[in-house]
Amino acid sequence: MEIPGRVDSLDQLTAMYRPPSEAAVGKQLDRIDDGMAAFIDLSPFLVLSTTDGGDSVDASPRGGPPGFVRRLDDRHIAIPDLNGNNRLDSYRNIVTHGRAGVLMIVPGKDETLRINGPAAITTDADILAGFAKELRVPKAAIVIETAEIYGHCAKAFRRAQLWEPQAWGEREAAPDLAAMYSCLWNIDETDLRHVLEEAYESDLAQD
C-alpha cells in the first residue's frame, strides 16, 4: 500500500523530535559492567534480531533457565542453540551479515537490556561445554560482541501493563498458535493444539 505522510529523509525525521538528552546518549557502553552482568545472569528470555544486510530482517524469541546466556568475558555473550523449527532464519542472517541485536528481559522488571554488535556462530567445544550445567550441550552457539550495550527505561512495559495481572483478563481473547494456523493447515483447532503441545513437550525434553 502507499503509505500516507511517509517520512523519507533523516532531516525530516530529526526535525520532528527534540535532541536526545546527555543521559540517553551517555548510557551506551561497549562492555558489560557489574549491574548489566547481574541482569544477564538472571534473564530467562530475550528477543534476537538479525538481518542479512539486504531484504531480510528477523526477530525471534529465545528462552531458557536464568543464566542460559553465558558471559564469556566483559565484551561477549553466548546464546545456546536449543530445539527450534530448523528454519535457521537467525543463523542464516548471522552467517551472511555477521551482526545481531538482543533485547533481554527479566520477568517482573519493567527495564530491559539491549546488546548490539558483531555476531558469529560457533561450535567451539569449550564454549559449548559451559552450557551443560542447566541444559544439554548444544550443537552450536551464537556469540555476540557488546559493541553497544545499554538499558531501556520502563515506559514501554508500563504502558503495556505487561506484568500487571489485573490487565491480563481483557487479553484472554488473543489467539494461540493453534487458533491462528488451524485454517491455514486445514486442521481442527483442538486437534492442532494437542499436536503442538506434544511437540513442545518433546522438544523441551531434549534441552
Side-chain angles (χ1 to χ4, degrees), residues 9 13 20 26 30 56 74-75 148 169 175:
S9 73
L13 177 66
D30 65 356
S56 173
D74 66 351
R75 292 294 308 275
E148 301 173 342

Side-chain angles (χ1 to χ4, degrees), residues 44-50 58-64 68-69 79-85 89-91 101-105 142 177 200:
F45 182 83
L46 60 84
V47 178
L48 171 69
S49 298
T50 60
D58 183 75
S60 66
R62 304 291 165 118
F68 85 105
V69 175
I79 305 168
D81 168 58
L82 300 176
N83 282 305
N85 55 25
D89 297 318
S90 301
Y91 288 1
V102 300
L103 188 68
M104 304 193 72
I105 296 168
I142 301 168
L177 201 61
Y200 294 155

Side-chain angles (χ1 to χ4, degrees), residues 13-40:
L13 177 66
T14 55
M16 296 165 55
Y17 297 93
R18 59 174 171 74
S21 67
E22 289 185 14
V25 175
K27 69 179 181 179
Q28 179 177 311
L29 303 178
D30 65 356
R31 63 190 61 248
I32 302 167
D33 66 16
D34 290 344
M36 294 171 176
F39 194 96
I40 292 169

Side-chain angles (χ1 to χ4, degrees), residues 24-155:
V25 175
K27 69 179 181 179
Q28 179 177 311
L29 303 178
D30 65 356
R31 63 190 61 248
I32 302 167
D33 66 16
D34 290 344
M36 294 171 176
F39 194 96
I40 292 169
D41 292 348
L42 290 171
S43 174
F45 182 83
L46 60 84
V47 178
L48 171 69
S49 298
T50 60
T51 176
D52 68 356
D55 295 331
S56 173
V57 177
D58 183 75
S60 66
R62 304 291 165 118
F68 85 105
V69 175
R70 288 188 60 207
R71 290 183 290 111
L72 303 180
D73 55 30
D74 66 351
R75 292 294 308 275
H76 298 85
I77 62 169
I79 305 168
D81 168 58
L82 300 176
N83 282 305
N85 55 25
N86 286 344
R87 284 175 53 109
L88 305 180
D89 297 318
S90 301
Y91 288 1
R92 293 178 193 277
N93 286 344
I94 290 171
V95 169
T96 301
H97 187 57
R99 296 192 72 83
V102 300
L103 188 68
M104 304 193 72
I105 296 168
V106 173
K109 297 294 183 182
D110 290 332
E111 293 84 4
T112 54
L113 185 67
R114 181 169 173 172
I115 300 172
N116 302 320
I121 309 297
T122 182
T123 58
D124 178 78
D126 289 338
I127 291 177
L128 300 184
F131 295 107
K133 182 178 179 182
E134 297 288 347
L135 302 162
R136 62 170 171 81
V137 176
K139 66 178 65 176
I142 301 168
V143 175
I144 303 176
E145 180 184 338
T146 59
E148 301 173 342
I149 180 169
Y150 54 93
H152 278 292
C153 75
K155 292 193 292 289

